[in-house]
Amino acid sequence: NFSNTAQYVIMNWNKAEITAGTFQTLDTASAVLFTSAYGGDANTVGKLTISGGEFKHASDTQEMIVDHYDETNKGNAVVTGGKFDADISKYIPTDYVQSADGTVEKLGETNAVAKVGGTYYKTLADAVAAAQDGDTITLLKDAELTSTLNLAKNITIDGQGKYTIKAANSFTVGSDNKTYCVLYVSGEVTLKDVTVNGNEKCRVIFCDKGKLTIDGATITNGKAPNFIGGYMTSSASFEMKSGSITGNKNAKGYQNDEYLQYSSDLWIGANANGALTAINGGTIGNVFVNANAWSASNPGSFTMNGGTVTNLYVEHDANYGATFKYNDGTIEHLYLSKENGNGQSIEVTPVKGVIYNGGVKEQDLVTLTMKYNDGATADSTYNVASGTTITLPTPRRSGYTFNGWD
């Protein structure tokens, strides 16, 4: 056991290696460890290596390692083991990590945040930086971000069904769409079996090019700076195979807006011209398919081949109407904007096989009420555009055979 009353517990001018022992300062000391070269002398190179031991400082005003005598005389410390009661990450090689209890150990399955193949990384950002197109980044722990993570490569992030990417309480947002989000997607990115949590600090995802695929991921707890939740725009493509996009919020002034409230979870931008914008499975709370003066001949479009959507709004603005193709799945509420509606819309009955366009006229709508009177099939009401083909259910009545609708 080593201690001191002044200066340092260990003062190294040449070469020193520490493999074990306990090193602790008293209140009157300057730091636990010192290492520095001096004057270019071959015997004062200031190299310190630590592979074991326990290191403690008496107060937060004391440093753990001082690595220079002055601005011109500096040393070097490399730590690959031991336990420290202060952050010494600047002295740790990239393939080692300091755990929460202060122990320094080699990165591996139990202490890394992520891996790519057999290589382990301290942070998700490190893994993304090292990944090549086509790689899968596998999360091994929850990852907290303090600023937007840019995903510009063609990669998969796999949360293994149990890990989360979350905006930290100290998350710092930027001043534009690309930096006011947890993830900025500009490559071809698949989020697989991972939760991305905005922690109500910012929008969860912004994507303006490339392709975003949701495959078992949960996108939640985002809070937009305005009225746009998960944001797909420009040349971006979007595909949802499974998972959920729910529980996101707009800014306070838009949460109960007449129509912009429906943009909280997913916004399909007016000029999004990606090859595919579709949900094939999973659950989305609110979807807004946008059209405006910037859409020109390319308003937003959205195809539903499966899954569940609670509220879907198809906009018409500045003489441009967005498009929604409903092939399969479940929609609880479908709203079509009136012509240049400015929030005025009409709720219609979702009918599979129909292509809907924003800009509906009330005179084009027909309300059809079916009263089956068979004692089994509930009456149903359809509010649809004139000319829409509806597949009606088959009534049942004891002792009768239904031959079809005339």
Side-chain angles (χ1 to χ4, degrees):
N1 295 334
F2 298 86
S3 186
N4 67 326
T5 58
Q7 293 189 306
Y8 318 102
V9 180
I10 298 293
M11 190 173 187
N12 172 54
W13 292 101
N14 193 3
K15 295 180 181 179
E17 181 180 357
I18 300 174
T19 60
T22 299
F23 305 81
Q24 182 168 4
T25 59
L26 299 178
D27 290 337
T28 54
S30 299
V32 181
L33 304 170
F34 171 91
T35 184
S36 181
Y38 189 81
D41 189 329
N43 292 319
T44 57
V45 294
K47 292 185 177 180
L48 174 64
T49 59
I50 302 172
S51 59
E54 187 169 1
F55 304 83
K56 303 176 182 179
H57 59 345
S59 70
D60 290 339
T61 60
Q62 296 174 341
E63 294 184 70
M64 179 60 66
I65 301 176
V66 174
D67 60 4
H68 61 281
Y69 175 72
D70 55 28
E71 287 301 315
T72 58
N73 294 285
K74 299 180 180 180
N76 180 33
V78 176
V79 181
T80 57
K83 185 176 182 180
F84 300 77
D85 66 356
D87 179 10
I88 46 90
S89 55
K90 66 179 288 187
Y91 302 106
I92 300 174
T94 56
D95 55 344
Y96 284 78
V97 66
Q98 185 176 17
S99 300
D101 69 352
T103 302
V104 175
E105 53 193 357
K106 194 169 180 62
L107 276 172
E109 200 78 16
T110 61
N111 55 21
V113 170
K115 67 178 180 178
V116 180
T119 304
Y120 296 91
Y121 297 93
K122 299 177 185 179
T123 68
L124 176 58
D126 288 344
V128 170
Q132 303 296 311
D133 284 346
D135 280 346
T136 294
I137 298 172
T138 303
L139 286 180
L140 304 172
K141 288 184 177 181
D142 293 337
E144 279 204 349
L145 303 179
T146 55
S147 61
T148 299
L149 181 60
N150 187 352
L151 303 179
K153 300 175 181 178
N154 302 337
I155 57 175
T156 295
I157 298 179
D158 185 355
Q160 302 193 76
K162 52 186 177 181
Y163 296 119
T164 296
I165 302 169
K166 182 180 179 181
N169 290 334
S170 59
F171 191 92
T172 301
V173 297
S175 58
D176 60 17
N177 286 323
K178 296 179 182 179
T179 55
Y180 202 104
C181 53
V182 180
L183 303 177
Y184 167 46
V185 175
S186 57
E188 294 188 5
V189 175
T190 297
L191 298 176
K192 179 177 174 61
D193 300 331
V194 61
T195 296
V196 187
N197 186 336
N199 197 22
E200 292 198 15
K201 299 296 181 181
C202 58
R203 182 182 290 125
V204 179
I205 294 174
F206 175 72
C207 180
D208 64 352
K209 51 189 169 183
K211 179 182 178 182
L212 173 64
T213 300
I214 305 297
D215 185 7
T218 297
I219 310 302
T220 191
N221 210 22
K223 189 171 183 180
N226 45 32
F227 50 83
I228 300 174
Y231 194 173
M232 308 295 302
T233 188
S234 300
S235 60
S237 295
F238 172 81
E239 181 180 9
M240 186 167 181
K241 297 179 179 180
S242 59
S244 68
I245 306 177
T246 59
N248 300 284
K249 297 179 181 178
N250 291 332
K252 187 174 182 180
Y254 299 99
Q255 291 176 8
N256 296 310
D257 185 274
E258 187 172 338
Y259 71 120
L260 291 174
Q261 61 179 309
Y262 303 127
S263 65
S264 61
D265 289 309
L266 179 63
W267 173 285
I268 304 298
N271 56 341
N273 55 13
L276 177 67
T277 303
I279 173 175
N280 301 314
T283 301
I284 307 179
N286 297 307
V287 179
F288 192 102
V289 190
N290 175 228
N292 58 36
W294 289 277
S295 57
S297 59
N298 187 40
S301 61
F302 186 70
T303 300
M304 187 169 179
N305 301 313
T308 299
V309 172
T310 302
N311 298 300
L312 193 149
Y313 188 97
V314 184
E315 190 180 30
H316 187 279
D317 185 58
N319 298 315
Y320 298 106
T323 299
F324 167 60
K325 185 176 182 180
Y326 181 33
N327 293 327
D328 207 348
T330 300
I331 306 172
E332 293 187 24
H333 303 283
L334 174 59
Y335 302 94
L336 302 182
S337 172
K338 295 182 180 180
E339 283 189 299
N340 299 320
N342 291 320
Q344 297 181 351
S345 64
I346 299 173
E347 184 173 359
V348 299
T349 304
V351 177
K352 295 176 182 178
V354 173
I355 297 175
Y356 294 93
N357 294 286
V360 67
K361 299 178 182 178
E362 289 196 55
Q363 59 265 34
D364 293 335
L365 295 177
V366 175
T367 299
L368 174 66
T369 301
M370 304 297 298
K371 295 184 177 295
Y372 300 99
N373 295 321
D374 62 357
T377 307
D379 296 345
S380 54
T381 299
Y382 297 85
N383 189 30
V384 296
S386 177
T388 300
T389 300
I390 300 173
T391 301
L392 300 174
T394 300
R396 298 182 301 276
R397 179 174 289 179
S398 177
Y400 291 84
T401 299
F402 182 69
N403 291 326
W405 295 95
D406 291 330

